[in-house]
Amino acid sequence: MRTWRLAVLACLCAAAAAAPAEAKTHHHTWNITYQYKSPDCFRKLAVTINGESPGPTIRAAQGDTLVVTVHNMLDTENTAIHWHGIRQIGSPWADGTAGVTQCPILPGETFTYRFVVDRPGTYMYHAHYGMQRVAGLDGMLVVSVPDGVAEPFAYDGEHTVLLMDWWHQSVYEQAVGLASVPMVFVGEPQSLLINGRGVFNCSPPAASNGGGAACNAFGGECGWPTLFTASPGKTYRLRIGSLTSLASLSFEIEGHTMTVVEADGYYVTPVVVKNLFIYSGETYSVLVTADQDPSRSYWAASHVVSRDPTKTAPGRAVVRYASAAVDHPRTPPPTGPRWNDTASRVAQSRSFAALPGHVEPPPARPDRVLLLLNTQSKIDNHTKWAINGVSLSFPATPYLVAMKHGLRGEFDQRPPPDSYDHGSLNLSSPPASLAVRHAAYRLALGSVVDVVLQNTAIPPPNGRSETHPWHLHGHDFWVLGYGEGKFVPEVDGPGLNAASARGGAVMKNTVALHPMGWTAVRFRASNPGVWLFHCHLEAHVYMGMGVVFEEGVDVLPRLPASIMGCGRTKGHHY
Amino acid sequence: MRTWRLAVLACLCAAAAAAPAEAKTHHHTWNITYQYKSPDCFRKLAVTINGESPGPTIRAAQGDTLVVTVHNMLDTENTAIHWHGIRQIGSPWADGTAGVTQCPILPGETFTYRFVVDRPGTYMYHAHYGMQRVAGLDGMLVVSVPDGVAEPFAYDGEHTVLLMDWWHQSVYEQAVGLASVPMVFVGEPQSLLINGRGVFNCSPPAASNGGGAACNAFGGECGWPTLFTASPGKTYRLRIGSLTSLASLSFEIEGHTMTVVEADGYYVTPVVVKNLFIYSGETYSVLVTADQDPSRSYWAASHVVSRDPTKTAPGRAVVRYASAAVDHPRTPPPTGPRWNDTASRVAQSRSFAALPGHVEPPPARPDRVLLLLNTQSKIDNHTKWAINGVSLSFPATPYLVAMKHGLRGEFDQRPPPDSYDHGSLNLSSPPASLAVRHAAYRLALGSVVDVVLQNTAIPPPNGRSETHPWHLHGHDFWVLGYGEGKFVPEVDGPGLNAASARGGAVMKNTVALHPMGWTAVRFRASNPGVWLFHCHLEAHVYMGMGVVFEEGVDVLPRLPASIMGCGRTKGHHY
């Protein structure tokens, strides 16, 4: 253990030393309040940053420090903000995951997130507390390469594109339904938003998917799509992120192809696509050249895939050539790809490869393999998602604090299972979920861990297998492969090491688990802290679809008092 | 100070010793959750206790101990529960006032309230955090006299009657309006509830006071009034409490008079009324004899007074004689008294006198006099209520903790003013509110304090003077008098001591400040702790209409860690 401790400290020092001498510190002050918003012409309360939802795009350069001072100005509701894709090396207490890395920020309180953005790329932030993210507390975080460093592609301008889905019900109403017996699902979103703007069809047929509520807001800018301006002949980098609550999306721009060059902060070998499939928690950079008729404008559109899209108004924005006569295209908007064409989505997932020379290759083999089976079934009459039979819940004392301080009574000391009975598994009739627990996998610091996510079908009458985008906090992972049907360790296991050896594995922080398939990733557990790994669909993690990884909490320094105040960490202590 | 300390400790010991030997401990376990409720046939989320709103009526006998274990099972919202009318002698940390006596109870946490109910009487409980009470977290608390002790009146049966007003907007929406620039008032309630049931007129004209929302719930018991059963010839004690958010009420029973025998836990000389005026935070016991035509049922009704009642559906319940053929009366419901007849309400306030031999007379004179002027005006463009220019806000660290632990940076060390310029006061054009502060009055332990509440008119265009029911935590006070217009210390001050000497002053914990009038009370600051004194209208205290009293925090023992966790009380401490 002494050896590890020294090795990790050396590693952290090296990282600090590697930061450019001109690294800057960027200060942001955020007031969190409720505000009425009408992104799709339905007026409802949103949880906002300085009055806005989505919040501002944060920009910094690699090696810079971000200091975000969050004033919770809500009256009775707490908050916590996660910096999605930032590994928080040396600052695990700044990950912003309530129940895991911190106590929530109480009304009237101020919490300061301070962390280094150690890698360039396209990232995001969002509330990570209950289902609060769904109320609109999110935004994008763009980390540029340092001055003087060239990127492996060229572009003339840049736009950020934040994709969301949107409900007219409040998050409280959604959560009550999910927790009810019988469970009442949140249903399909009423609309899709692009940079916080959407279009909801207020006429009665569409309104029937709004709990009976039709549009209740008009005028102003309500219903106007976001406008992206392009100069003819120029090439733009679109930094696209998805923070949908439920929807997997296809994004496209009428009449244009997109060249994917970055995924989750890592360069990929360029791939040209017409439709970019993007799952909640993912980011991509695509290059788009304004090489079409310069006298007009073009639709950008997001569509639901992998779930029935007919109840959801597609997302629409406009790419307007600077020379165009009018803002709005006169063409019909794109209709999107076939929503239930799983094969084309799996193919696109497989099409991405790390750009040679830009991504460290994965270790040759793992020290430990976790086979994680997801199941949806009832526990004490409540519908729950579980992983290897264990449905995750968040303890009153955050895992990080409980583990660092040895509060063994605050979480379940029995580790959840590393595997499941894959021999007898029937994907269409998987075993039942067993228990709701505060459980965590303890990983050896520095060990290499493979995780194979195994999808199943949910019980009848639905019986479908869904797309689950899994997001890992505190690390990036190499994607070793996507498979169909059952993962068979004896057959498919060696293939993972072979894939690793072949090279080209992309690194990501979020990966899709496709319907009735499996997805394998590898990561190095080298970031002391406690980290959530979970389905990024908000309803799913709310119902328990996640696991917690701990590594090296013993080598962490004393935790800041600011993350405490809940569970067993109350007191007079200063 | 040593003398006081000994005196207080002796007093507490004496109180404990006075408890009957057979004192019981009553345990209650409460799960706080959101549930859909349709009390008036409009379906919305309520904050509930074990699924119910209002919550259960708690019963105990004088000297018993109540232990209420509160599990906050909300996802992102905190709570705190105040035991309204219980003085919490020796347990100031159990008063349940977030920001004053405790940190709020976080989601996933459990807080145990433990306190002695030292006086018989009719009390209540409710959330005391933001405007959460308005979401339905409330109920009644009945403390009976010990076995073998006779009350000074007789009755055959008892009913509890909890009066509320009800909005279709959520509390979050209400609060956003109040905090907006310009302020958007919560408006008149849509309906009045009696024991959690109300009647909302779903037809369009009435629905226009529902933000456009008509009834959205039907069937089940929705719309059925509460039924009180009475046997012909018997006399019933109705324990009536009001936890309205805004409305002052008149309560009556068709065809019956009511004899008032208790107010806020103290016996009063019986007063016969047709309409009982009851203000938010007050409780009364009335005796009603079922001496009318036994073949029918009778309406009980609550009506808004002191504000325009026309936008609010009156509250209705039914008193059904056990011998009646049908449940529902065939008579039209009572129409209520004239809502703007202030004089009759002041007269009723003045009509109450302590029952001789049952209420300790007030001290002859005060050690300190506080003249408290309420004003509504703008501070930094926000509409605020203020007392002597100071608008109250709640610090991140509760006053009790900050004061006991000497955290002087957590609240404003400058005491708020004891008085105002009463010489130049124009009630129709009072001075402006000055500042929002975390301020408190420090009272000498054991001192006698007079408070004169002075009402004013709010600014044009409204220009009205409202009824403000003021509630004192931790103490009961003697009501020395109600006056019209300006309180003139030189003229009216001596009258207060005269009233005191005359005897018969009622003791209460909540008293009405009538429009354009003043109300004077006296209390003994003999309960070590920190105590809120505030207008019990939820929107008004939200806008700053309250003050904080501290007395004797130095003689308190170490505070329990369970009340901490917010502000400066975070840490690893066990």
Side-chain angles (χ1 to χ4, degrees):
Chain A
M1 187 49 73
R2 172 174 292 278
T3 317
W4 270 119
R5 188 187 305 258
L6 292 175
V8 169
L9 292 177
C11 163
L12 297 181
C13 296
E22 68 276 27
K24 295 196 180 80
T25 298
H26 305 267
H27 292 268
H28 298 274
T29 300
W30 287 0
N31 294 331
I32 309 300
T33 62
Y34 297 116
Q35 300 290 337
Y36 281 107
K37 294 290 171 186
S38 315
D40 62 352
C41 297
F42 181 88
R43 185 170 180 263
K44 62 173 281 194
L45 285 188
V47 179
T48 68
I49 297 170
N50 296 339
E52 297 304 322
S53 169
T57 296
I58 299 183
R59 292 179 184 276
Q62 181 180 14
D64 287 355
T65 296
L66 283 172
V67 180
V68 184
T69 301
V70 177
H71 300 300
N72 180 358
M73 299 175 73
L74 306 174
D75 290 313
T76 56
E77 184 172 356
N78 307 313
T79 193
I81 300 179
H82 170 58
W83 313 94
H84 184 109
I86 306 300
R87 294 177 297 177
Q88 302 290 355
I89 293 171
S91 54
W93 40 78
D95 190 50
T97 312
V100 179
T101 64
Q102 69 169 104
C103 294
I105 310 167
L106 273 66
E109 295 199 347
T110 296
F111 186 93
T112 299
Y113 291 97
R114 174 184 286 269
F115 53 91
V116 174
V117 290
D118 64 315
R119 301 199 70 264
T122 305
Y123 306 106
M124 306 184 287
Y125 61 82
H126 58 80
H128 212 307
Y129 186 53
M131 292 180 63
Q132 196 178 58
R133 178 181 108 210
V134 184
L137 202 174
D138 62 9
M140 297 195 74
L141 195 173
V142 173
V143 182
S144 58
V145 293
D147 282 350
V149 174
E151 296 203 85
F153 45 82
Y155 51 97
D156 304 298
E158 179 179 309
H159 295 290
T160 57
V161 182
L162 179 57
L163 306 177
M164 294 165 64
D165 45 11
W166 196 248
W167 277 256
H168 295 167
Q169 270 200 324
S170 70
V171 290
Y172 320 104
E173 292 169 318
Q174 292 185 38
V176 164
L178 294 174
S180 293
V181 175
M183 184 264 277
V184 179
F185 195 61
V186 299
E188 306 306 319
Q190 272 71 58
S191 56
L192 299 181
L193 309 185
I194 299 178
N195 286 358
R197 293 166 181 270
V199 180
F200 177 63
N201 184 347
C202 307
S203 62
S208 69
N209 186 32
C215 294
N216 61 4
F218 304 94
E221 295 198 323
C222 152
W224 285 52
T226 298
L227 206 63
F228 299 104
T229 302
S231 293
K234 300 292 188 186
T235 295
Y236 293 88
R237 178 182 192 168
L238 304 189
R239 292 180 181 267
I240 308 171
S242 173
L243 285 175
T244 56
S245 172
L246 179 66
S248 300
L249 299 177
S250 161
F251 178 79
E252 66 186 296
I253 301 174
E254 180 195 11
H256 294 72
T257 59
M258 302 181 287
T259 302
V260 183
V261 293
E262 180 218 341
D264 291 7
Y266 288 87
Y267 300 130
V268 297
T269 302
V271 175
V272 177
V273 300
K274 178 175 178 299
N275 299 285
L276 175 72
F277 296 112
I278 179 169
Y279 306 95
S280 180
E282 288 191 317
T283 66
Y284 290 95
S285 282
V286 302
L287 301 181
V288 181
T289 300
D291 55 5
Q292 299 298 306
D293 176 356
S295 69
R296 52 164 293 202
S297 297
Y298 299 84
W299 290 108
S302 59
H303 291 90
V304 172
V305 291
S306 187
R307 298 185 67 94
D308 179 0
T310 57
K311 293 178 177 170
T312 303
R316 289 180 195 168
V318 171
V319 177
R320 180 190 187 279
Y321 279 41
S323 49
V326 293
D327 282 355
H328 272 56
R330 298 187 178 172
T331 44
T335 53
R338 281 198 299 129
W339 69 270
N340 53 0
D341 178 8
T342 302
S344 68
R345 297 198 305 279
V346 175
Q348 189 174 98
S349 290
R350 286 178 168 149
S351 72
F352 297 118
L355 186 66
H358 285 271
V359 178
E360 178 198 357
R365 58 187 54 79
D367 298 309
R368 183 171 173 186
V369 176
L370 300 175
L371 304 184
L372 303 186
L373 176 74
N374 71 47
T375 53
Q376 187 198 88
S377 63
K378 290 185 181 167
I379 301 176
D380 291 341
N381 294 319
H382 290 273
T383 301
K384 290 284 184 185
W385 283 101
I387 301 302
N388 293 356
V390 178
S391 186
L392 183 69
S393 65
F394 298 98
T397 309
Y399 286 101
L400 175 62
V401 177
M403 289 173 168
K404 176 66 182 171
H405 289 184
L407 305 174
R408 298 168 64 88
E410 297 302 290
F411 62 100
D412 194 332
Q413 296 302 307
R414 296 168 298 163
D418 276 18
S419 186
Y420 54 90
D421 179 3
H422 36 82
S424 68
L425 176 65
N426 177 341
L427 292 189
S428 298
S429 177
S433 309
L434 298 173
V436 177
R437 286 170 53 189
H438 303 149
Y441 292 94
R442 316 291 295 248
L443 306 178
L445 183 59
S447 64
V448 175
V449 179
D450 275 9
V451 176
V452 181
L453 298 161
Q454 174 68 62
N455 213 341
T456 61
I458 66 176
N462 182 309
R464 292 182 50 243
S465 182
E466 306 187 24
T467 301
H468 303 284
W470 278 73
H471 172 60
L472 178 57
H473 292 224
H475 312 74
D476 300 312
F477 46 66
W478 291 272
V479 180
L480 299 185
Y482 302 88
E484 286 162 34
K486 280 173 66 169
F487 178 84
V488 182
E490 302 74 23
V491 176
D492 299 309
L496 302 185
N497 288 338
S500 163
R502 214 164 34 237
V506 291
M507 288 202 90
K508 298 184 95 270
N509 60 61
T510 304
V511 69
L513 174 58
H514 292 288
M516 290 303 246
W518 56 263
T519 298
V521 302
R522 179 169 293 176
F523 68 96
R524 200 185 292 275
S526 55
N527 190 9
V530 185
W531 309 103
L532 192 60
F533 180 45
H534 64 105
C535 177
H536 208 257
L537 304 187
E538 198 76 334
H540 288 187
V541 68
Y542 182 82
M543 295 161 78
M545 198 175 199
V547 298
V548 168
F549 294 140
E550 177 275 334
E551 67 214 42
V553 291
D554 52 323
V555 305
L556 288 174
R558 182 186 178 85
L559 300 177
S562 60
I563 67 169
M564 305 192 191
C566 56
R568 298 237 358 244
T569 60
K570 303 167 183 295
H572 179 60
H573 183 77
Y574 24 80
Chain B
M1 187 50 70
R2 171 173 295 275
T3 317
W4 269 121
R5 188 188 305 258
L6 292 174
V8 168
L9 291 177
C11 165
L12 297 181
C13 296
E22 68 277 24
K24 295 195 180 80
T25 299
H26 304 267
H27 292 268
H28 297 274
T29 300
W30 287 359
N31 294 330
I32 309 300
T33 61
Y34 297 118
Q35 300 290 337
Y36 280 107
K37 293 290 172 187
S38 314
D40 63 351
C41 298
F42 181 88
R43 184 169 179 264
K44 63 172 282 197
L45 285 187
V47 179
T48 69
I49 296 169
N50 297 338
E52 297 304 320
S53 169
T57 296
I58 299 183
R59 292 179 183 276
Q62 182 180 15
D64 289 354
T65 296
L66 282 173
V67 180
V68 184
T69 301
V70 177
H71 300 299
N72 180 357
M73 299 175 73
L74 306 175
D75 289 313
T76 57
E77 183 171 357
N78 307 313
T79 191
I81 300 179
H82 171 57
W83 313 95
H84 184 110
I86 307 300
R87 295 177 297 176
Q88 302 290 356
I89 293 171
S91 54
W93 41 78
D95 191 48
T97 313
V100 179
T101 65
Q102 70 170 102
C103 294
I105 310 168
L106 274 67
E109 294 197 346
T110 296
F111 186 93
T112 299
Y113 291 97
R114 173 185 287 269
F115 53 91
V116 174
V117 290
D118 64 313
R119 300 199 70 263
T122 305
Y123 306 104
M124 305 183 287
Y125 61 82
H126 58 81
H128 214 307
Y129 185 52
M131 293 179 64
Q132 195 177 61
R133 178 180 108 211
V134 183
L137 203 173
D138 62 8
M140 298 197 73
L141 196 173
V142 173
V143 182
S144 58
V145 294
D147 281 350
V149 173
E151 297 203 84
F153 44 83
Y155 52 97
D156 304 298
E158 178 179 309
H159 295 289
T160 56
V161 182
L162 179 57
L163 306 177
M164 294 165 64
D165 46 11
W166 196 248
W167 278 255
H168 295 167
Q169 270 200 322
S170 70
V171 290
Y172 321 104
E173 292 169 319
Q174 292 186 38
V176 164
L178 294 174
S180 293
V181 174
M183 185 264 279
V184 179
F185 195 60
V186 300
E188 306 306 319
Q190 272 71 56
S191 57
L192 299 181
L193 309 185
I194 299 178
N195 286 359
R197 293 166 181 270
V199 179
F200 177 63
N201 184 346
C202 308
S203 62
S208 69
N209 186 32
C215 295
N216 60 5
F218 303 95
E221 294 199 323
C222 151
W224 285 52
T226 298
L227 204 64
F228 300 104
T229 303
S231 294
K234 300 291 187 184
T235 295
Y236 293 88
R237 178 182 193 169
L238 303 189
R239 292 180 180 268
I240 308 171
S242 173
L243 285 175
T244 55
S245 172
L246 180 66
S248 300
L249 298 177
S250 161
F251 178 81
E252 66 184 296
I253 301 173
E254 179 194 11
H256 294 73
T257 58
M258 302 180 286
T259 304
V260 182
V261 293
E262 180 218 341
D264 293 3
Y266 287 88
Y267 299 129
V268 297
T269 302
V271 176
V272 177
V273 300
K274 177 176 178 298
N275 300 287
L276 174 72
F277 296 113
I278 180 168
Y279 306 96
S280 181
E282 287 190 319
T283 66
Y284 290 96
S285 283
V286 301
L287 302 180
V288 181
T289 300
D291 55 6
Q292 299 298 305
D293 177 356
S295 69
R296 52 164 294 202
S297 298
Y298 299 83
W299 291 109
S302 59
H303 291 89
V304 172
V305 293
S306 186
R307 298 184 66 93
D308 178 359
T310 57
K311 293 177 178 171
T312 303
R316 288 181 194 166
V318 171
V319 177
R320 180 190 187 281
Y321 278 42
S323 49
V326 293
D327 282 355
H328 272 56
R330 298 184 177 173
T331 44
T335 53
R338 281 198 301 126
W339 70 270
N340 52 1
D341 178 9
T342 303
S344 68
R345 297 199 304 278
V346 174
Q348 189 175 99
S349 291
R350 285 177 170 149
S351 72
F352 297 119
L355 187 66
H358 286 270
V359 179
E360 178 199 357
R365 58 187 55 80
D367 299 307
R368 182 171 174 186
V369 176
L370 300 175
L371 304 183
L372 303 185
L373 176 75
N374 70 46
T375 53
Q376 187 199 90
S377 62
K378 290 185 182 168
I379 301 176
D380 291 339
N381 294 319
H382 290 273
T383 301
K384 291 283 184 185
W385 282 101
I387 301 303
N388 292 356
V390 178
S391 185
L392 183 69
S393 65
F394 298 99
T397 309
Y399 285 102
L400 175 61
V401 177
M403 290 173 166
K404 175 67 181 169
H405 290 185
L407 305 175
R408 297 167 65 89
E410 297 302 291
F411 62 99
D412 193 333
Q413 296 302 307
R414 297 167 299 163
D418 275 18
S419 187
Y420 54 91
D421 179 2
H422 37 81
S424 68
L425 175 66
N426 178 342
L427 292 189
S428 299
S429 177
S433 309
L434 297 174
V436 177
R437 286 170 51 189
H438 302 149
Y441 292 94
R442 317 291 296 245
L443 307 178
L445 183 60
S447 64
V448 175
V449 179
D450 275 8
V451 176
V452 182
L453 297 162
Q454 175 67 62
N455 214 340
T456 61
I458 66 176
N462 183 309
R464 293 182 50 242
S465 182
E466 307 188 24
T467 301
H468 303 284
W470 277 74
H471 172 61
L472 178 57
H473 293 223
H475 312 74
D476 301 311
F477 45 66
W478 292 272
V479 179
L480 299 184
Y482 302 87
E484 286 162 36
K486 280 173 66 168
F487 178 85
V488 182
E490 303 74 22
V491 177
D492 300 309
L496 303 186
N497 289 337
S500 162
R502 214 162 36 235
V506 292
M507 289 203 89
K508 297 184 97 269
N509 60 61
T510 304
V511 70
L513 173 59
H514 292 287
M516 291 304 246
W518 56 262
T519 297
V521 302
R522 178 168 294 177
F523 68 97
R524 200 185 293 276
S526 55
N527 190 8
V530 185
W531 309 103
L532 192 60
F533 180 45
H534 64 105
C535 177
H536 208 258
L537 304 187
E538 198 77 333
H540 289 187
V541 68
Y542 183 82
M543 295 163 74
M545 197 174 201
V547 298
V548 167
F549 293 140
E550 178 276 333
E551 67 215 41
V553 291
D554 52 324
V555 304
L556 287 174
R558 181 187 178 82
L559 301 177
S562 60
I563 67 170
M564 305 192 190
C566 57
R568 298 237 356 244
T569 60
K570 303 167 183 298
H572 178 62
H573 185 75
Y574 24 80

